[in-house]
Amino acid sequence: MNDLTEEQIRTELALILDRRSADTRLSTMGAGSDDLDEGRRYLANTVRDGWHVPTWPREHGGQDASAHQNSLIGRVLREFVVPDLYPFAIGLGMVGPALLQHGTEVQQRDWLKPIASGEAIWCQMFSEPEAGSDLANVALTAQQDGDEWILGGQKTWTSRAMWADWAICLARTDPTQPKHKGLTMFAIPMSLSGVEIRPLMQMNRDAHFSEVFVDGARISDQCRIGDVGEGWRVAMTVLAHERAGGGSRGGGDGNARGLKLPSWVADLQVLVGEQSSDWRNKVAAIYARDTTSRWTAQRAGDEARSTGSPGPAGSGAKLRTVNSYKSRSYLANRTAGAHGMLEDGHGYIETLTAPSMSIRGGTDEIQRNILGERVLGLPGEPRLDRDVSWSESRRGLI
Ligand SMILES: Cc1cc2nc3c(=O)[nH]c(=O)nc-3n(C[C@H](O)[C@H](O)[C@H](O)COP(=O)(O)OP(=O)(O)OC[C@H]3O[C@@H](n4cnc5c(N)ncnc54)[C@H](O)[C@@H]3O)c2cc1C
């Protein structure tokens, strides 16, 4: 399809989606919401013409769009009601792009379209009790047995596990190799015998993330994503896309067309009544940061989608986006005064959700390390276990 103009995109989208109005309110990042249906309806509606993942190949639910066309679509989509796609975001924003880069033709054929259409939810089984920031320390094992692999171990903080049909799972296949080298990536069906999901409750009372225990679960070698021992490379693709925010389109921060101020400011204006100059200054500062953060995230996202490899810019984008989310949530909650302490208070859920933003997808400190080392060229952290076999380093020899 030739590139469409902004107006043509708007006309096409108006045929299948409702326009946002000043009253449209949606949750973001699943905060306080367990609704899967709206997201499923929206994705089923948009998949035929590839509107939600335009850069994906047409046969997999995209429209082979250029990076430029993709940003234009993203901008126009903000004028329409795009529900909170949090339950689907790992598939759309992280697993999909990783499969396009590392998956076999069969894997792409079988898994991408169900992701784009909302039929299949994916989760990300990377973190473990002793492998969070130090992700390469993953201990869940996969042992080859003919054409199958047998998995055993524990993952934790697995967001959306209880909704998920599939997980992308980082496993240790060779403990004699140094920690980054003995890893392999797999896709595992969550309904598999030997996989047990135990939801954990966050302080905002969402139970969206879980511990996952795996004991003797068997998967076919066809579920291996990338070569044996190449799991770290695949994991880096997934994480770079996570930081660049490739899956985060959708949710509650869009604007009706023509509105000068975003809806979160309009909401606050109703709450404050008399506006002090101090309050106006705070709003203006957040608004300015929010706008640059959006541009940075868009640039990192476009880079990710057009090159397939987002690079360290995603870390800058993640830091800014997190900062923005937190500032908006805290200001909204403080503006609501005492009522903000109640569960239906303005900004209450967002305020209780905000601290987790600095942890999920890699902590703020880790993003700063990446920027320091890979963008600013500062000396790297000492990494004493880089060339030692993983099993030796686990025994505390270094
Ligand atoms: C809401 C939420 C959802 C999540 N969803 C998922 C998911 O779906 N899938 C998944 O696999 N994981 C998920 N995670 C896990 C997340 O990626 C980890 O929590 C994160 O990487 C930090 O790891 P950790 O919790 O083990 O903390 P640790 O790594 O133990 O870190 C503890 C503290 O030490 C600091 N620190 C550690 N190493 C360094 C260093 N080298 N330099 C400076 N500071 C350092 C950290 O910044 C942090 O402040 C989620 C987490 C949250 C909170």
Side-chain angles (χ1 to χ4, degrees), residues 124 126-127 132-133 157 159 209 359-360 363 365-366 369 381:
Q124 174 197 21
F126 284 12
S127 302
S133 301
W157 319 131
S159 300
F209 69 173
I359 303 173
R360 58 174 92 183
T363 65
E365 289 77 16
I366 294 301
N369 280 355
E381 291 201 319

Side-chain angles (χ1 to χ4, degrees), residues 86 90 94 123-135 155-161 168 202 208-209 239 242-243 353 355-366 369 381 383:
Y86 172 82
I90 288 181
M94 294 150 61
C123 65
Q124 174 197 21
M125 284 172 51
F126 284 12
S127 302
E128 298 181 5
E130 288 185 56
S133 301
D134 186 12
L135 182 60
K155 296 287 177 182
T156 192
W157 319 131
T158 312
S159 300
R160 303 100 163 154
I168 186 163
Q202 292 172 246
H208 292 170
F209 69 173
L239 289 182
E242 177 169 22
R243 287 161 191 163
T353 304
S356 74
M357 299 293 179
S358 285
I359 303 173
R360 58 174 92 183
T363 65
D364 287 357
E365 289 77 16
I366 294 301
N369 280 355
E381 291 201 319
R383 294 190 174 93

Side-chain angles (χ1 to χ4, degrees), residues 92-108:
L92 293 166
M94 294 150 61
V95 175
L99 287 173
L100 285 169
Q101 202 172 330
H102 304 280
T104 62
E105 266 180 37
V106 175
Q107 290 172 341
Q108 294 179 358

Side-chain angles (χ1 to χ4, degrees), residues 70-376:
N70 180 58
S71 332
L72 199 56
I73 293 170
R75 213 163 53 230
V76 180
L77 261 179
R78 293 174 57 75
E79 297 166 17
F80 293 86
V81 179
V82 177
D84 186 355
L85 294 174
Y86 172 82
F88 307 89
I90 288 181
L92 293 166
M94 294 150 61
V95 175
L99 287 173
L100 285 169
Q101 202 172 330
H102 304 280
T104 62
E105 266 180 37
V106 175
Q107 290 172 341
Q108 294 179 358
R109 188 198 63 206
D110 290 351
W111 293 335
L112 286 171
K113 193 74 176 277
I115 291 175
S117 68
E119 268 168 68
I121 293 182
W122 284 66
C123 65
Q124 174 197 21
M125 284 172 51
F126 284 12
S127 302
E128 298 181 5
E130 288 185 56
S133 301
D134 186 12
L135 182 60
N137 198 33
V138 154
L140 182 140
T141 54
Q143 286 173 335
Q144 193 152 19
D145 181 23
D147 281 347
E148 290 188 325
W149 293 84
I150 306 169
L151 276 61
Q154 185 200 340
K155 296 287 177 182
T156 192
W157 319 131
T158 312
S159 300
R160 303 100 163 154
M162 71 293 186
W163 296 321
D165 305 286
W166 286 89
I168 186 163
C169 176
L170 187 61
R172 178 136 330 256
T173 42
D174 187 352
T176 66
Q177 292 284 329
K179 64 178 182 179
H180 294 90
K181 297 204 175 128
L183 296 166
T184 304
M185 192 67 82
F186 295 94
I188 60 174
M190 295 304 278
S191 56
L192 203 63
S193 148
V195 175
E196 189 196 342
I197 301 162
R198 296 189 201 159
L200 299 166
M201 189 169 289
Q202 292 172 246
M203 72 179 182
N204 66 1
R205 302 191 70 76
D206 284 343
H208 292 170
F209 69 173
S210 310
E211 295 176 300
V212 181
F213 294 85
V214 183
D215 184 10
R218 280 181 172 268
I219 50 170
S220 144
D221 187 53
Q222 288 168 2
C223 290
R224 174 169 48 77
I225 303 172
D227 289 337
V228 175
E230 288 289 311
W232 187 248
R233 212 157 66 85
V234 185
M236 287 303 97
T237 304
V238 173
L239 289 182
H241 280 277
E242 177 169 22
R243 287 161 191 163
S248 55
R249 256 177 202 174
D253 59 352
N255 294 325
R257 193 174 174 213
L259 270 187
K260 289 276 185 300
L261 286 176
S263 48
W264 65 269
V265 179
D267 281 358
L268 290 188
Q269 277 176 322
V270 175
L271 282 179
V272 279
E274 184 87 3
Q275 297 156 18
S276 68
S277 59
D278 177 47
W279 186 86
R280 278 200 302 271
N281 285 344
K282 282 193 182 121
V283 170
I286 296 173
Y287 181 47
R289 270 212 309 269
D290 206 28
T291 307
T292 36
S293 138
R294 205 186 302 286
W295 289 337
T296 311
Q298 188 172 327
R299 190 157 39 83
D302 287 348
E303 191 186 332
R305 282 180 284 264
S306 58
T307 63
S309 158
S315 293
K318 190 198 173 228
L319 279 171
R320 285 198 170 83
T321 309
V322 165
N323 190 301
S324 211
Y325 186 95
K326 283 177 151 176
S327 315
R328 278 164 39 183
S329 306
Y330 298 156
L331 182 71
N333 196 239
R334 271 201 296 273
T335 305
H339 184 246
M341 291 161 66
L342 303 179
E343 277 187 26
D344 62 349
H346 203 86
Y348 173 87
I349 287 284
E350 289 78 5
T351 295
L352 292 188
T353 304
S356 74
M357 299 293 179
S358 285
I359 303 173
R360 58 174 92 183
T363 65
D364 287 357
E365 289 77 16
I366 294 301
Q367 309 306 333
R368 291 196 184 97
N369 280 355
I370 294 171
L371 290 175
E373 293 181 18
R374 292 177 53 198
V375 177
L376 302 177

